[in-house]
């Protein structure tokens, strides 16, 4: 009510400590109160970028919110979907459509396809909505995931033309061309983006600037989202 986000963290930390010391659990509260509490707890965790905690609390709220309470379920999803996306989990399109979440539809598709142009366009289109909800920064960070999908797509296509014993070593040129087409990146910006993906363990491999190559790991060049440094 007061709009003081910093105080929310203080109160939730105090509650966590009381739960560990006393015979009390939020889940023991009446279901309606517990769902509301976990929603606001998860929402606060979104604002502080504690994504795993936000995912845990919002998922609990969504799972225990009755299907007939469509408005409340949609409110939960408005924060849960960005968390899931940032953690590398893509929601089904039918879930988005059934809950009138068309604001995410094209963004999710752009992540699947590695379509940076669509992502940029839709983020600009819905920027005001995300800013109002407080999820704009999390949504903007999804560009990292779109770029990973783009690298994965280029890797898949280039690999088809390489011999089996050397299909993990690729020229940088195709990646530079696609990054320029999709996001107007010059060669240096392309190298920086790929280096960032490697650093965050979304891509496994290394860049050889001397030979203008990107060398992918032979085993699991694109680690699962659970292994990323978020």
């Amino acid at each position: 009510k007061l709009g003081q986000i910093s105080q929310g963290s203080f109160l939730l930390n105090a509650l966590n400590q009381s739960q560990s010391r006393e015979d009390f659990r939020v889940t023991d509260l009446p279901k309606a109160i517990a769902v509301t509490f976990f929603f606001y707890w998860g929402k606060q965790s979104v604002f502080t970028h504690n994504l795993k905690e936000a995912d845990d609390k919002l998922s609990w709220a969504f799972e225990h919110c009755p299907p007939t309470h469509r408005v409340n379920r949609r409110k939960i999803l408005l924060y849960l979907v960005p968390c899931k996306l940032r953690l590398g989990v893509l929601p089904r399109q039918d879930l988005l459509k059934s809950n009138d979440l068309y604001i995410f539809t094209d963004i999710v598709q752009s992540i699947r396809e590695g379509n940076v142009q669509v992502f940029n366009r839709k983020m600009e289109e819905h920027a005001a909505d995300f800013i109002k909800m407080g999820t704009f920064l999390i949504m903007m960070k999804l560009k990292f995931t779109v770029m990973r999908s783009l690298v994965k797509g280029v890797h898949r296509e280039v690999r088809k033309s390489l011999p089996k014993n050397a299909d993990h070593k690729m020229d940088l040129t195709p990646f530079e061309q696609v990054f320029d087409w999709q996001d107007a990146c010059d060669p240096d910006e392309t190298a920086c983006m790929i280096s960032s993906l490697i650093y965050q363990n979304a891509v496994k491999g290394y860049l050889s600037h001397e030979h203008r190559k990107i060398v992918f790991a032979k085993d699991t060049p694109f680690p699962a989202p659970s292994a990323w440094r978020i």
Side-chain angles (χ1 to χ4, degrees):
K1 290 292 185 180
L2 295 176
Q4 297 178 347
I5 294 176
S6 60
Q7 294 301 311
S9 296
F10 171 77
L11 293 172
L12 291 173
N13 287 336
L15 176 64
N16 265 332
Q17 291 175 8
S18 69
Q19 284 194 108
S20 61
R21 292 196 305 266
E22 303 171 14
D23 187 21
F24 166 74
R25 293 289 181 271
V26 175
T27 52
D28 294 334
L29 295 170
K31 189 63 62 69
I33 296 175
V35 167
T36 301
F37 189 87
F38 272 110
F39 166 67
Y40 283 108
W41 192 342
K43 185 176 176 180
Q44 170 67 22
S45 298
V46 169
F47 293 154
T48 57
H49 297 276
N50 189 343
L51 297 181
K52 292 183 178 179
E53 181 176 79
D55 179 33
D56 179 60
K57 304 309 179 190
L58 292 169
S59 292
W60 193 96
F62 184 73
E63 289 166 8
H64 292 84
C65 185
T68 52
H69 294 199
R70 294 175 58 83
V71 173
N72 289 337
R73 287 170 68 86
R74 184 178 186 275
K75 286 181 179 179
I76 296 169
L77 286 172
L78 283 170
Y79 292 91
L80 180 57
V81 169
C83 286
K84 290 289 189 184
L85 292 175
R86 188 72 179 97
L87 294 170
V89 181
L90 303 185
R92 304 186 317 273
Q93 292 291 352
D94 62 308
L95 175 69
L96 299 178
K97 291 177 181 177
S98 63
N99 287 278
D100 193 27
L101 294 170
Y102 294 99
I103 191 173
F104 296 114
T105 303
D106 291 325
I107 290 175
V108 170
Q109 194 61 30
S110 73
I111 294 173
R112 292 186 194 279
E113 299 173 352
N115 194 325
V116 185
Q117 293 177 346
V118 169
F119 176 82
N120 289 341
R121 187 166 63 249
K122 291 301 173 180
M123 280 301 300
E124 184 177 351
E125 181 181 329
H126 299 299
D129 297 313
F130 293 134
I131 290 171
K132 184 178 180 180
M133 289 185 287
T135 56
F136 181 75
L137 290 179
I138 289 179
M139 293 300 296
M140 277 304 297
K141 287 182 178 180
L142 292 175
K143 189 170 183 177
F144 159 88
T145 314
V146 183
M147 289 294 195
R148 177 186 182 270
S149 298
L150 184 59
V151 171
K152 191 174 183 179
V154 177
H155 171 272
R156 182 176 58 248
E157 293 303 314
V158 172
R159 190 178 183 187
K160 295 176 183 177
S161 62
L162 297 174
K164 283 288 184 181
N165 62 342
D167 61 359
H168 63 294
K169 299 178 181 179
M170 301 181 182
D171 290 332
L172 276 172
T173 303
F175 295 90
E176 292 170 349
Q177 291 172 340
V178 171
F179 273 56
D180 178 35
W181 165 53
Q182 280 286 306
D183 202 35
C185 292
D186 63 29
D188 288 339
E189 290 170 331
T190 300
C192 285
M193 177 55 69
I194 294 175
S195 295
S196 177
L197 291 168
I198 292 171
Y199 172 76
Q200 296 187 63
N201 207 40
V203 174
K204 191 181 290 186
Y206 66 89
L207 287 176
S208 174
H209 295 285
E210 181 182 355
H211 298 97
R212 286 189 45 77
K213 297 278 187 182
I214 176 170
V215 182
F216 290 93
K218 293 183 179 180
D219 180 37
T220 320
F222 297 93
S226 58
W228 299 356
R229 296 188 182 98
I230 299 297

